[in-house]
Amino acid sequence: PTTAQATLFAGSAAFFALFLLYLYAQRPRKDCGTAFRQHFEVDRLNYATYIRADQGRHIRNFCMRRRHGHLRLSFGRFYPDMEQYNGGLPAGGPDVGGLRPVNELPHATAGEASTVQRNKVEEQTQSTGFGVRLSAFLAFMGAIGFYYDISTFLWSSATDQGICKVKRRGCRWAVWNPPWLGMQRDLLGVNQPQVPDKLCHMAPEPDDPFSWSFCEWYFHRYDHCMEQLEGSVPAFQLACSDLPKLRQEVAKHTIFDSNGRLLVRYVADRDFTIRSAPMPHFPFGRPASIKKGMVLASLGGRDSEETQRLETLRPLDLGGGRLMDRCKGPQHNGAMEVVFKYVSDTELIDEEDCAELQESCKAGSLGLKTNGWFPPNRLLDGDFDRTFCWYYSYRSPWDGRQWNVLDEATSGVTCNGEPFSHFLLDEHRFPRRDDRTMACKEACEETSGCNYAFVGDPINELEFKMMNLSSHTPDYIRRFAHHRHVCWMYDECPWRHLPFGEMQRTHRNELFPYKCGEACDDRTLDCALLESSWEFVKIARPGEKSEAFKPAMCRHACLAATAHVIWCNGYAFNKQDILLDGLPATKYTCIVYGPANFRPAKELHRWNRADGSGRLGLSSWANDGDAQCFLRLTPNLPKRQRAGRKGILMHWSDKPSCGGCWTRSVTDFFFKTPSNVASVLTNLVTMLGFLYIARAAQMTFQAGKVTFTGKPMVDMTIVEDAANLEDFDVRERAYIQFMQRCFELANVDNQPANVQDALKSGGGIGTEDAKLQEVHRESLDDYELSNVSRTKCFVDRYWLGLFPSEKIVHAWSDTARHGWQWMLFGALYQFLGVIFICYLQPSDLGRQLLYWPLSIAVVLRLMYNYTEYRREEQGVCVITDHRRAVQMSRRPPASWILPWRGGVSVRLDVCHLGDVHLAQLDMPAVPLWKDRARAAFLRHEWRRGVVALRCEHGFLELARKHGEALDVFRAILSLSGSSPREDVRSVGAGGVEVEGFCPTRDLMVPGERHVWERKLDAFGFFGDPFNYVSVLTVTDRRLVVTRVRTPKPLSIVGVLIGPLTFGRYCRALQERRGTHAYLTVSAIAHDGLESYATARTRSPPFWPGFMKPRTSVSFTFLARFMHMYPAGLFVT
């Protein structure tokens, strides 16, 4: 051992040293890696992004700061698709979402519902889509084949497994095999499981032939459905002389109940005819036909002793003298009433049977001999059934509940646990057992939570006395002992399966006094308990010591014979005075009883077999005062307990059946016929393959319409962490300068726009809600995009990548505005809640114990809200005279309260606009309530909105979320590439105003001349909640279409025939319902206008019909890059 330990230590040390050398060899090194060089042109650079994601200092980064920088440049004729463009960029970067390319022109929010439709771009490559149609057709054919195979499989599985609703009467799939009845080693369908600790017990002493291994589960293979028989019920009077003939015609059938007791039923095995006794209408009697399968149900009337024995399935001597004497007595007068009826061999399956099926299936499938998944079993027998199944309770489709008898009247067992309710049955009110059973059922149905009911007969005095000596007999059984008939109601019937050790400690010594010499009878004791008996006799002469022959020694012999497999169930001891060789002597007799194969454990040669015949003690001991007999109580299932009286246990359940073994059906379908597997897999692969081809073809077809021209997207990455200790700030500056230089070279041939007039127009450089202030910061960590009050936006030309000669046309802040009052109001509301909770406390101590922790929690929550308030994403957007849009998003660092949440994260988006052909503004006609609240009702109220552009490189969206969107729209119009028209003259003065908006006042830049303007009103069709007002404005540079949707006024007619709106009132509610006023302004330069169309329609009035017809005139305009007339340029 010492040499082995030394060798192991040396090998471990060598392995550890080699592992350290490997880690050292794989360390990050500057002189190792991959060099990548790319050459590209910058003529068509249209979009660029730089992202810095600062993850802060984490333990997983060895407390080192990790920053990730990524620069991406996009080249092409059109803007990139943002869904693909953002793929691969660092996660966690900020984005205020104010600037982004889109694939199409957004819908005109204020457009009519009938004219809103998607805009299509003409400059996209057209395709016939033959590959898409072919792949779709092949995928459809593959889906048909797959559906055919799957439906065949489902039909086969449903046919094979079935839904079991009934079972053979008296059968249990899992019967408990306790040692009271003698556990058997070889049982039908069950072998030694692979996990002996769960189901089996192994012999600790292999030399002992009786200490074999055994299993606790008995497996019956009844997993098929059976039909229930129905028929007539013949009844007739039978003369006493014909009772022997009746005995010859019926056969005695025996079955076993759930506890293994023998039950008897008398059944007609063939059709026969017997003549009834003479009656007044039939003086010679009449023939009674008995069909095969009918069961003798009643003999001598409903309340006779014979009928009670037939109902409880106890044996009956049909040809005996006692029955003949009762028939000839005054009660029957020479004839007895005989009733035959069809009693099916089946009974309804209950959810408890499903649990037993599942447990028995598990027990049967653990052994190698019964496990169909064991490969040798499948190789030797291709039809070997797989016993691995899944049985589940099947709920009734109509959700109804029905009664099911769990234990017949002979069992005398009820549910574990104490009943939550009871009902005492009056014997005079309910004289018959059927009446008492029906009354208990009705009481359970009317009681909420009742699922189980037990109808008990009068107490068995002897059994009750024995149960009183047991420590685990429930108290309620003793309380109701003096009541003759009871109805106990339970909510559940739980299992109480004790481990063998605990079961042995609980029940091993439970041997109770019993009458000696009494013959075995099914009403008093279980004959199966006393099947085998052994006798020990000792004769003591006068003067000999007899201490060893006391009753305690006989009890010790019985308990010593109690083993794992077989238990001693009773013993009898007697002391008798006899004469031996003419001298007085004492005879000590000890008899121990047990099930089959039972024998004493010690000194077997001194014991002799005795013929007990199910009798405890000898028949001569019945009146012997010295005889002492002791018996063990009848064993119960783990989910039952003795009731001390005979009775019926019933279950009221909505799960009347079980699902079949579907796993066996599945495996039979797939593994018995390998072609089924191949067919299903082939069709599945075919369908998935063609769907993949269809998806690829669709992507190829879409790629023909997207804006890429084959130019690359350039990516450059920098990382700062424990493995990369280079100067991150230096390389970050180089990346931003590189991006600035690329845009400068790309626009070297483009002339900047004339922005002198733009700087003098309405918005100027800054806006009324956020003034512009140019600053200079040393790094992005120090660059705040706005002040705390959000009234100024700071522009650093270096960090925004602006050219030295580039002028700012317009700039605005897109930082969220949350007033301090909301945070303070929240803290005050929480503090009031703390005071209210403390007020409800009954004592001062409880108030103090709650006040301070909750107050500290409120303060910590306030500090956390303050930290999150300071870390809100900041945003600034700039439009320059070089027709560029620049947006920077910044997330400030966490304060000292949460230092591990990361540092400054930045995203810089720069795009080239070029010539703006079309501009569209969508915004509310009046400020929304939440925008008024964020402005704190003190500063200028703004209207958020979205400005959509059709630029040189495609469509672009500028979203103003925290300010006036009209200012952005004015700045965009100043970059319009249309030159003034000198060949037009002004017609009219203009100045039409709609909802406070005047196109000639709010949109025209200095130097722009008014040409023509017209206002048009349109009423929404029936069901449309809006009316529409349109203003068509023509200037010497552009065409402006203004559309306003306004809620229909609140009127009687509107309430009766139109959608319910509130007009100009209840604006907060209108915003909630989405029926508030909205404004859409579309401006298109004359150079981008291709055609226009007009339509004039005269339609009859809606109601009444004698009014004048209504006339409508529509104007719509089409841009050069469009296929269809858009809703934003449609005027009615």
Side-chain angles (χ1 to χ4, degrees):
T2 305
T3 305
Q5 292 178 1
T7 304
L8 181 62
F9 176 77
S12 301
F15 175 78
F16 185 70
L18 293 175
F19 182 70
L20 292 180
L21 290 176
Y22 173 78
L23 293 180
Y24 178 76
Q26 298 297 324
R27 72 188 188 278
R29 300 178 58 175
K30 295 183 178 181
D31 54 346
C32 297
T34 301
F36 179 77
R37 176 175 295 179
Q38 185 176 8
H39 300 266
F40 52 88
E41 295 182 352
V42 296
D43 292 344
R44 290 188 176 180
L45 175 62
N46 55 49
Y47 204 88
T49 301
Y50 173 73
I51 294 181
R52 181 222 279 191
D54 193 338
Q55 301 178 3
R57 301 177 184 271
H58 287 272
I59 297 179
R60 64 174 180 265
N61 296 331
F62 302 99
C63 296
M64 292 291 294
R65 184 179 183 184
R66 177 176 175 81
R67 291 188 291 179
H68 186 190
H70 195 103
L71 174 63
R72 173 167 289 182
L73 305 177
S74 175
F75 301 90
R77 184 179 177 184
F78 297 101
Y79 292 126
D81 182 38
M82 292 305 293
E83 184 176 355
Q84 300 178 3
Y85 181 80
N86 291 327
L89 293 178
D95 187 9
V96 295
L99 174 66
R100 65 186 184 97
V102 292
N103 295 329
E104 59 187 12
L105 186 67
H107 305 320
T109 310
E112 297 181 22
S114 59
T115 59
V116 173
Q117 50 192 337
R118 301 186 63 180
N119 304 312
K120 296 184 178 180
V121 182
E122 185 181 6
E123 296 179 357
Q124 296 173 347
T125 305
Q126 302 296 322
S127 174
T128 59
F130 175 78
V132 177
R133 295 184 179 91
L134 177 61
S135 59
F137 173 77
L138 295 178
F140 177 74
M141 298 302 295
I144 292 178
F146 181 74
Y147 174 77
Y148 174 80
D149 290 336
I150 291 298
S151 60
T152 304
F153 156 68
L154 294 177
W155 173 257
S156 176
S157 301
T159 304
D160 292 344
Q161 73 164 352
I163 300 296
C164 294
K165 296 181 179 180
V166 292
K167 66 175 181 179
R168 296 191 183 276
R169 188 175 295 276
C171 166
R172 303 197 79 95
W173 285 270
V175 177
W176 194 30
N177 191 19
W180 290 288
L181 300 178
M183 288 188 175
Q184 302 181 21
R185 177 176 52 185
D186 297 324
L187 299 177
L188 176 63
V190 172
N191 296 279
Q192 177 181 338
Q194 298 177 356
V195 187
D197 296 338
K198 292 185 177 180
L199 296 175
C200 290
H201 303 275
M202 307 303 295
E205 300 177 3
D207 297 335
D208 189 355
F210 285 91
S211 61
W212 52 54
S213 62
F214 60 91
C215 190
E216 291 185 355
W217 296 97
Y218 189 80
F219 183 36
H220 293 273
R221 289 184 180 272
Y222 290 136
D223 57 355
H224 56 277
C225 298
M226 296 155 283
E227 298 295 331
Q228 187 174 2
L229 300 176
E230 297 180 358
S232 60
V233 181
F236 56 91
Q237 294 287 333
L238 185 66
C240 299
S241 59
D242 292 333
L243 285 177
K245 183 179 179 181
L246 178 65
R247 179 183 179 184
Q248 296 176 1
E249 295 294 344
V250 297
K252 182 180 179 180
H253 290 189
T254 59
I255 59 176
F256 290 90
D257 68 352
S258 58
N259 293 324
R261 298 183 180 88
L262 181 66
L263 304 179
V264 179
R265 181 177 293 155
Y266 297 92
V267 185
D269 287 344
R270 61 183 180 86
D271 298 342
F272 69 93
T273 303
I274 191 170
R275 184 167 293 277
S276 65
M279 293 181 293
H281 298 286
F282 301 97
F284 301 101
R286 63 183 180 90
S289 298
I290 308 301
K291 302 298 182 180
K292 180 180 179 181
M294 301 188 77
V295 178
L296 181 60
S298 176
L299 183 62
R302 294 183 177 180
D303 298 330
S304 66
E305 180 182 352
E306 289 77 12
T307 301
Q308 292 182 4
R309 297 186 68 87
L310 291 174
E311 288 180 352
T312 56
L313 304 181
R314 288 182 289 174
L316 179 65
D317 189 5
L318 293 178
R322 185 169 180 268
L323 179 61
M324 189 67 68
D325 294 340
R326 287 175 55 83
C327 180
K328 295 179 180 180
Q331 183 179 1
H332 299 287
N333 295 324
M336 301 184 72
E337 181 186 9
V338 180
V339 178
F340 276 87
K341 67 178 181 179
Y342 277 115
V343 177
S344 175
D345 290 337
T346 63
E347 59 183 346
L348 291 176
I349 279 182
D350 192 74
E351 53 184 315
E352 288 192 355
D353 298 305
C354 295
E356 291 178 354
L357 269 172
Q358 179 64 11
E359 294 296 331
S360 62
C361 185
K362 290 180 180 178
S365 61
L366 289 176
L368 296 180
K369 294 182 181 180
T370 58
N371 188 358
W373 298 90
F374 188 55
N377 295 335
R378 296 293 298 167
L379 294 176
L380 298 177
D381 184 6
D383 296 332
F384 197 94
D385 288 335
R386 288 174 172 80
T387 56
F388 180 77
C389 300
W390 180 45
Y391 294 95
Y392 57 94
S393 299
Y394 191 76
R395 188 178 296 274
S396 175
W398 54 87
D399 199 20
R401 303 180 72 178
Q402 60 187 16
W403 287 98
N404 188 26
V405 178
L406 300 182
D407 290 285
E408 299 287 350
T410 57
S411 301
V413 294
T414 184
C415 288
N416 285 326
E418 187 169 352
F420 73 94
S421 181
H422 67 275
F423 176 60
L424 299 180
L425 300 171
D426 188 3
E427 188 174 6
H428 299 287
R429 183 181 177 186
F430 308 105
R432 298 179 61 252
R433 173 179 291 168
D434 294 342
D435 298 336
R436 294 191 293 268
T437 303
M438 184 59 64
C440 188
K441 288 181 179 179
E442 294 176 355
C444 181
E445 293 175 1
E446 295 174 357
T447 304
S448 176
C450 178
N451 298 316
Y452 295 85
F454 175 78
V455 185
D457 292 339
I459 199 76
N460 188 328
E461 297 294 340
L462 181 60
E463 183 178 4
F464 181 69
K465 291 180 180 179
M466 296 173 61
M467 292 177 61
N468 277 333
L469 300 176
S470 178
S471 59
H472 53 81
T473 300
D475 294 335
Y476 76 92
I477 295 181
R478 298 188 178 98
R479 291 199 307 267
F480 291 96
H482 61 282
H483 296 286
R484 290 184 56 81
H485 303 285
V486 295
C487 173
W488 293 331
M489 288 172 277
Y490 305 85
D491 57 344
E492 61 178 352
C493 202
W495 284 73
R496 189 172 60 90
H497 186 70
L498 300 177
F500 185 80
E502 185 176 352
M503 179 182 64
Q504 191 174 26
R505 289 192 300 269
T506 305
H507 301 287
R508 184 175 183 270
N509 300 326
E510 288 189 345
L511 296 170
F512 304 106
Y514 198 79
K515 294 180 180 180
C516 291
E518 186 173 342
C520 177
D521 186 40
D522 59 335
R523 293 176 298 176
T524 56
L525 56 88
D526 195 335
C527 301
L529 296 176
L530 310 179
E531 188 174 352
S532 178
S533 59
W534 294 76
E535 181 182 32
F536 173 79
V537 179
K538 177 66 176 179
I539 299 177
R541 298 179 183 275
E544 294 183 1
K545 295 182 179 180
S546 59
E547 288 81 0
F549 310 113
K550 293 181 178 180
M553 191 61 192
C554 189
R555 176 183 175 86
H556 177 72
C558 179
L559 296 180
T562 299
H564 288 271
V565 180
I566 298 176
W567 279 24
C568 176
N569 295 326
Y571 69 92
F573 177 82
N574 196 5
K575 174 184 176 182
Q576 296 174 317
D577 294 331
I578 62 174
L579 291 176
L580 182 62
D581 298 333
L583 298 176
T586 304
K587 180 181 179 182
Y588 298 93
T589 305
C590 177
I591 307 176
V592 292
Y593 300 86
N597 299 326
F598 168 76
R599 68 173 185 175
K602 300 180 180 179
E603 299 180 352
L604 185 61
H605 62 280
R606 303 180 60 181
W607 294 81
N608 299 317
R609 283 192 175 272
D611 185 13
S613 300
R615 187 190 306 271
L616 191 61
L618 302 179
S619 59
S620 59
W621 294 3
N623 298 320
D624 192 346
D626 294 332
Q628 302 179 22
C629 297
F630 293 84
L631 179 68
R632 189 182 301 279
L633 289 179
T634 306
N636 301 317
L637 286 174
K639 54 188 173 182
R640 304 284 187 264
Q641 68 181 6
R642 298 191 63 85
R645 61 179 81 209
K646 304 301 180 182
I648 302 177
L649 180 62
M650 300 170 293
H651 186 198
W652 193 36
S653 172
D654 59 347
K655 297 179 180 178
S657 57
C658 298
C661 182
W662 65 270
T663 53
R664 184 179 300 170
S665 303
V666 172
T667 54
D668 288 347
F669 179 84
F670 281 107
F671 292 100
K672 284 187 177 181
T673 309
S675 61
N676 293 339
V677 184
S679 178
V680 171
L681 293 180
T682 301
N683 287 287
L684 180 61
V685 172
T686 302
M687 186 180 68
L688 294 179
F690 283 124
L691 287 177
Y692 178 81
I693 295 174
R695 178 176 178 272
Q698 181 68 20
M699 293 179 60
T700 304
F701 176 68
Q702 293 293 337
K705 300 195 301 180
V706 298
T707 57
F708 296 113
T709 59
K711 295 282 185 176
M713 278 198 308
V714 179
D715 292 277
M716 290 180 281
T717 305
I718 51 176
V719 177
E720 178 187 23
D721 55 10
N724 301 276
L725 301 179
E726 298 180 3
D727 194 344
F728 184 89
D729 296 331
V730 173
R731 298 188 63 182
E732 186 176 56
R733 287 175 175 270
Y735 276 13
I736 293 180
Q737 292 179 2
F738 177 77
M739 180 175 60
Q740 171 190 345
R741 185 58 179 164
C742 288
F743 271 105
E744 189 175 358
L745 293 176
N747 297 324
V748 66
D749 296 333
N750 298 328
Q751 296 295 327
N754 185 8
V755 297
Q756 299 298 328
D757 296 337
L759 298 178
K760 300 177 183 179
S761 62
I765 296 180
T767 58
E768 295 184 7
D769 51 82
K771 301 301 181 181
L772 174 65
Q773 181 179 346
E774 293 196 18
V775 295
H776 176 69
R777 299 290 185 259
E778 295 296 331
S779 64
L780 289 175
D781 295 339
D782 303 330
Y783 183 20
E784 294 283 348
L785 302 185
S786 65
N787 58 352
V788 177
S789 60
R790 310 298 193 245
T791 57
K792 293 182 179 180
C793 60
F794 303 129
V795 174
D796 190 318
R797 302 177 65 90
Y798 178 82
W799 292 112
L800 293 180
L802 302 182
F803 309 152
S805 61
E806 196 169 9
K807 296 180 182 180
I808 298 176
V809 176
H810 191 69
W812 66 90
S813 174
D814 216 0
T815 306
R817 306 189 182 193
H818 299 285
W820 293 80
Q821 63 274 16
W822 301 111
M823 184 171 58
L824 297 178
F825 285 161
L828 179 60
Y829 177 76
Q830 296 172 4
F831 187 73
L832 292 177
V834 172
I835 295 177
F836 179 72
I837 293 175
C838 295
Y839 172 75
L840 297 178
Q841 298 302 313
S843 62
D844 294 338
L845 180 60
R847 295 187 185 98
Q848 293 179 5
L849 291 177
L850 285 177
Y851 176 77
W852 292 109
L854 294 179
S855 300
I856 294 175
V858 171
V859 174
L860 293 178
R861 179 66 180 179
L862 181 62
M863 297 172 63
Y864 175 79
N865 291 340
Y866 171 75
T867 302
E868 293 300 315
Y869 173 79
R870 297 301 303 270
R871 290 198 75 228
E872 287 178 340
E873 290 186 356
Q874 303 174 2
V876 64
C877 191
V878 176
I879 298 177
T880 67
D881 62 340
H882 283 259
R883 295 184 176 87
R884 290 201 308 157
V886 181
Q887 176 187 275
M888 175 172 283
S889 305
R890 180 179 183 271
R891 183 185 297 114
S895 64
W896 57 271
I897 302 177
L898 301 173
W900 61 86
R901 297 197 59 184
V904 176
S905 298
V906 176
R907 172 168 179 154
L908 178 62
D909 292 277
V910 183
C911 70
H912 182 256
L913 302 179
D915 295 332
V916 179
H917 304 293
L918 173 67
Q920 177 177 301
L921 169 65
D922 283 287
M923 70 176 184
V926 294
L928 301 179
W929 185 89
K930 54 185 176 182
D931 290 337
R932 296 180 185 178
R934 289 178 177 176
F937 300 98
L938 300 176
R939 294 186 293 270
H940 176 70
E941 297 175 354
W942 64 75
R943 292 173 294 182
R944 63 176 61 198
V946 177
V947 179
L949 311 177
R950 176 52 168 90
C951 306
E952 180 180 344
H953 300 286
F955 292 102
L956 192 70
E957 270 192 7
L958 295 173
R960 188 77 194 276
K961 302 177 181 179
H962 305 284
E964 182 67 28
L966 186 59
D967 297 339
V968 182
F969 190 66
R970 291 196 195 102
I972 293 299
L973 292 182
S974 65
L975 300 179
S976 177
S978 178
S979 58
R981 297 289 300 269
E982 300 295 342
D983 56 344
V984 295
R985 64 183 180 86
S986 177
V987 178
V992 177
E993 183 174 345
V994 181
E995 292 290 336
F997 178 78
C998 179
T1000 57
R1001 181 191 65 210
D1002 297 331
L1003 297 182
M1004 292 180 60
V1005 298
E1008 188 174 4
R1009 293 186 300 111
H1010 167 73
V1011 176
W1012 182 79
E1013 188 174 54
R1014 183 66 181 266
K1015 177 183 177 182
L1016 300 96
D1017 296 323
F1019 296 94
F1021 60 91
F1022 181 74
D1024 193 343
F1026 304 105
N1027 290 330
Y1028 301 92
V1029 180
S1030 304
V1031 179
L1032 179 59
T1033 305
V1034 181
T1035 69
D1036 62 341
R1037 297 185 181 182
R1038 63 181 60 88
L1039 173 71
V1040 180
V1041 177
T1042 305
R1043 295 187 57 88
V1044 180
R1045 72 173 194 188
T1046 59
K1048 289 182 178 179
L1050 182 61
S1051 61
I1052 298 178
V1053 177
V1055 171
L1056 292 178
I1057 66 174
L1060 183 59
T1061 57
F1062 297 93
R1064 299 176 180 270
Y1065 306 99
C1066 301
R1067 290 185 173 179
L1069 181 60
Q1070 301 255 46
E1071 295 173 10
R1072 182 69 177 177
R1073 299 182 60 225
T1075 58
H1076 56 286
Y1078 223 86
L1079 174 69
T1080 298
V1081 183
S1082 302
I1084 182 172
H1086 292 320
D1087 296 342
L1089 186 62
E1090 182 173 276
S1091 67
Y1092 71 96
T1094 61
R1096 183 175 181 272
T1097 304
R1098 290 177 61 86
S1099 58
F1102 175 71
W1103 181 85
F1106 54 80
M1107 298 180 65
K1108 294 182 179 181
R1110 299 199 174 206
T1111 304
S1112 64
V1113 180
S1114 300
F1115 300 88
T1116 181
F1117 302 91
L1118 185 69
R1120 296 182 183 277
F1121 52 87
M1122 293 180 177
H1123 276 302
M1124 301 179 65
Y1125 293 97
L1129 297 176
F1130 194 90
V1131 181
T1132 302

